[in-house]
Amino acid sequence: MADYIVNDEKTAAAAASTMNEYDIAIAQLRKIKTDLDTLTQDGYNTPSARNDFQPFVEEFMGSYEKVTEGLTGISAYVKAVGDGFNKLDTDMGASLRG
């Protein structure tokens, strides 16, 4: 038989922390993107930069965005686990009271 340990405070804290990290990651991504866009406008604007570097940066940014977007799903899942087990426990206790 399985043992279940679910702490709703810890799951809520982990979900909040993950979303905080998401916000930080998105802010960093935007800064990096702005810096690189500025660079390719007036600091590294060559045929190679336009044809090779800029598409490379765009691909990297898209991949990074997918990773950071995954954090929202992880956060929601962890929060739902804590909330779900808390509700189940409450409902089970209530069922004994009639």
Side-chain angles (χ1 to χ4, degrees):
M1 180 160 252
D3 290 327
Y4 297 94
I5 300 172
V6 179
N7 181 309
D8 60 338
E9 290 177 9
K10 288 183 179 182
T11 55
S17 174
T18 302
M19 284 310 300
N20 183 48
E21 294 300 323
Y22 167 81
D23 291 339
I24 291 167
I26 291 298
Q28 289 174 332
L29 175 65
R30 288 183 181 142
K31 173 150 182 7
I32 292 167
K33 177 83 169 88
T34 298
D35 291 349
L36 292 174
D37 285 346
T38 300
L39 175 67
T40 56
Q41 288 171 9
D42 64 8
Y44 179 46
N45 189 339
T46 68
S48 179
R50 288 187 296 274
N51 294 332
D52 299 313
F53 181 71
Q54 190 62 35
F56 174 80
V57 168
E58 294 297 329
E59 183 179 337
F60 170 79
M61 291 297 156
S63 297
Y64 189 79
E65 264 182 33
K66 288 178 184 173
V67 169
T68 56
E69 286 171 6
L71 292 175
T72 61
I74 291 169
S75 175
Y77 176 82
V78 169
K79 183 169 181 349
V81 166
D83 291 348
F85 271 92
N86 189 27
K87 181 174 178 1
L88 174 65
D89 186 52
T90 300
D91 291 349
M92 294 299 290
S95 72
L96 295 172
R97 293 188 296 274

